[in-house]
């Protein structure tokens, strides 16, 4: 074995040992950062106001529902702000989140803050709050239930395709993509929609402390601006998160100096490594590990010569 080969092998062994200690140093630095962040109050644990952010379509989200439920028993959470920007979503998804927020509101103050849009199921999840804020131009309301389906039998007839359906009962395949909705099927589906609509109206009446007879004329599916909703009693005030904090301080005795922390559905270590600490970790990794490892990697093949 040549002297040059021995030197190369020794160099590789030294690099492996050095990399081992570098990895250990990175792990130690990250652990210290996490511990320091927690001690400085950056990690969950200190007294704070929790912010539940709901963006986009509302569907059943088990992790989010469980995280909201946990707020009720978390003594470090002094109040909850539900920040909504949603056009709505599934009735079951809205109902699930509505019920979870209701359970929290039974234990501690909850304020809903509507941003650009809080309609249909987006309004449904706001009504359990002790107070609802909206911007003057917020679109909200749209209290109602919609069930849509497609039907392509006309297209199938034009291309000479027929569909054969074997069913246990005349309503089993209602609605169907391959044949028009029957009168009997429409009656059944209308009954389903009406029942879900009644549930929605009941939620609004209970949350807003209004008679259902007063809610129903407003619940024909139309949206309202925040200003219109205020005049109709569907929201309590015009404003945003700042006004929500002021109200919590004035009416519920929640210190205005408390920080607002976003509700997370993952552990703090994962949050940290996916946020600012991730950038720091990547920088350390590049500095301590990547530059040395690349010498033995494919990049070494493409290095320019010194000539």
């Amino acid at each position: 074995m040549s002297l040059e080969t021995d030197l190369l092998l020794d160099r590789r062994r030294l690099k492996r040992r050095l990399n081992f200690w570098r990895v250990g140093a990175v792990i130690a630095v990250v652990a210290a950062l996490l511990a320091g962040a927690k001690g400085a109050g950056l990690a969950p644990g200190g007294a704070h106001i929790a912010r539940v952010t709901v963006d986009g379509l509302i569907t059943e989200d088990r992790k989010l529902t469980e995280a909201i439920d946990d707020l009720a028993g978390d003594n470090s959470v002094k109040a909850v702000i539900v920040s909504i920007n949603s056009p709505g979503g599934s009735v079951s998804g809205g109902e699930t989140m509505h019920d979870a927020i209701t359970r929290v509101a039974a234990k501690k103050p909850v304020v809903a803050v509507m941003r650009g849009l809080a309609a249909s199921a987006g309004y449904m999840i706001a009504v359990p709050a002790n107070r609802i804020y909206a911007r003057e131009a917020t679109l909200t309301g749209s209290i109602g239930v919609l069930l849509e389906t497609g039907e392509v039998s006309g297209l199938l007839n034009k291309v000479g395709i027929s569909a054969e359906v074997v069913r246990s009962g005349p309503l089993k395949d209602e609605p169907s993509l391959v044949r028009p909705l029957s009168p009997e099927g429409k009656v059944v589906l209308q009954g389903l929609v009406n029942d879900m609509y009644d549930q929605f109206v009941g939620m609004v009446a209970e949350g807003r402390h209004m008679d259902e007879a007063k809610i129903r004329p407003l619940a024909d599916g139309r949206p309202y601006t925040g200003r219109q909703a205020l005049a109709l009693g569907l929201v309590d005030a015009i404003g945003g998160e700042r006004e929500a904090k002021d109200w919590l301080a004035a009416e519920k005795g929640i210190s205005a100096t408390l920080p607002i922390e976003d509700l997370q559905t993952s552990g703090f270590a994962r949050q940290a490594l996916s946020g600012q600490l991730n950038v720091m970790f990547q920088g350390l990794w590049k500095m301590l590990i990547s530059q040395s490892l690349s010498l033995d990697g494919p990049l070494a093949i493409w290095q320019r010569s010194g000539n």
Side-chain angles (χ1 to χ4, degrees):
M1 186 178 293
S2 67
L3 178 60
E4 184 177 353
T5 302
D6 289 340
L7 289 173
L8 286 173
L9 291 174
D10 287 340
R11 185 186 176 202
R12 284 182 175 273
R13 281 193 290 268
L14 288 172
K15 284 174 62 179
R16 289 193 186 99
R17 292 175 185 173
L18 182 59
N19 288 337
F20 172 81
W21 290 110
R22 284 172 170 168
V23 170
V26 170
I27 294 173
V29 169
V30 171
L33 288 171
L34 293 176
K38 189 169 184 178
L42 298 178
H48 64 280
I49 298 170
R51 180 195 292 119
V52 179
T53 301
V54 181
D55 286 322
L57 289 176
I58 296 171
T59 59
E60 289 199 66
D61 186 330
R62 180 181 57 81
K63 287 186 177 180
L64 178 58
T65 302
E66 291 176 352
I68 293 173
D69 271 324
D70 289 342
L71 295 176
D74 188 342
N75 292 330
S76 66
V77 176
K78 304 306 179 183
V80 177
I81 293 176
V82 184
S83 179
I84 306 168
N85 187 31
S86 170
S90 70
V91 177
S92 60
E95 177 189 358
T96 301
M97 195 175 299
H98 167 279
D99 292 349
I101 295 171
T102 299
R103 289 189 288 270
V104 176
K107 299 288 185 67
K108 54 193 64 180
V110 176
V111 181
V113 175
M114 298 176 172
R115 284 140 57 206
L117 186 61
S120 198
Y123 182 70
M124 180 187 291
I125 66 173
V127 295
N130 304 117
R131 191 166 179 84
I132 301 176
Y133 283 92
R135 295 297 182 186
E136 289 189 346
T138 297
L139 290 181
T140 187
S142 189
I143 302 167
V145 178
L146 175 68
L147 176 61
E148 287 184 321
T149 182
E151 193 270 304
V152 297
S153 61
L155 175 62
L156 295 179
N157 289 334
K158 287 183 177 180
V159 297
I161 298 176
S162 61
E164 296 294 337
V165 179
V166 179
R167 49 186 175 168
S168 59
L171 298 174
K172 182 58 181 175
D173 67 336
E174 299 279 7
S176 171
L177 283 173
V178 296
R179 66 183 182 85
L181 185 64
S182 69
E184 296 80 9
K186 187 171 184 178
V187 169
V188 170
L189 294 179
Q190 187 65 58
L192 296 177
V193 169
N194 290 346
D195 186 63
M196 288 186 284
Y197 170 76
D198 289 341
Q199 296 174 42
F200 194 166
V201 170
M203 292 178 193
V204 176
E206 181 179 1
R208 300 305 299 159
H209 308 290
M210 298 167 64
D211 292 334
E212 287 192 17
K214 187 174 181 181
I215 295 295
R216 288 186 183 276
L218 308 177
D220 58 2
R222 77 181 70 182
Y224 302 99
T225 66
R227 190 162 61 177
Q228 290 173 326
L230 177 61
L232 296 171
L234 297 178
V235 305
D236 294 298
I238 299 298
E241 199 166 274
R242 175 183 297 179
E243 288 76 13
K245 284 195 70 176
D246 290 342
W247 181 82
L248 286 170
E251 300 296 330
K252 299 297 181 179
I254 305 298
S255 174
T257 62
L258 284 182
I260 297 178
E261 295 183 4
D262 287 308
L263 177 67
Q264 303 289 347
T265 57
S266 57
F268 173 69
R270 183 175 179 181
Q271 299 165 28
L273 291 176
S274 65
Q276 292 183 348
L277 289 183
N278 182 43
V279 177
M280 197 177 303
F281 177 80
Q282 288 179 348
L284 287 170
W285 182 265
K286 183 176 181 180
M287 180 180 66
L288 299 178
I289 304 297
S290 299
Q291 290 179 355
S292 61
L293 291 181
S294 66
L295 293 175
D296 295 326
L299 292 177
I301 299 172
W302 300 103
Q303 287 179 340
R304 287 179 176 271
S305 65
N307 297 330

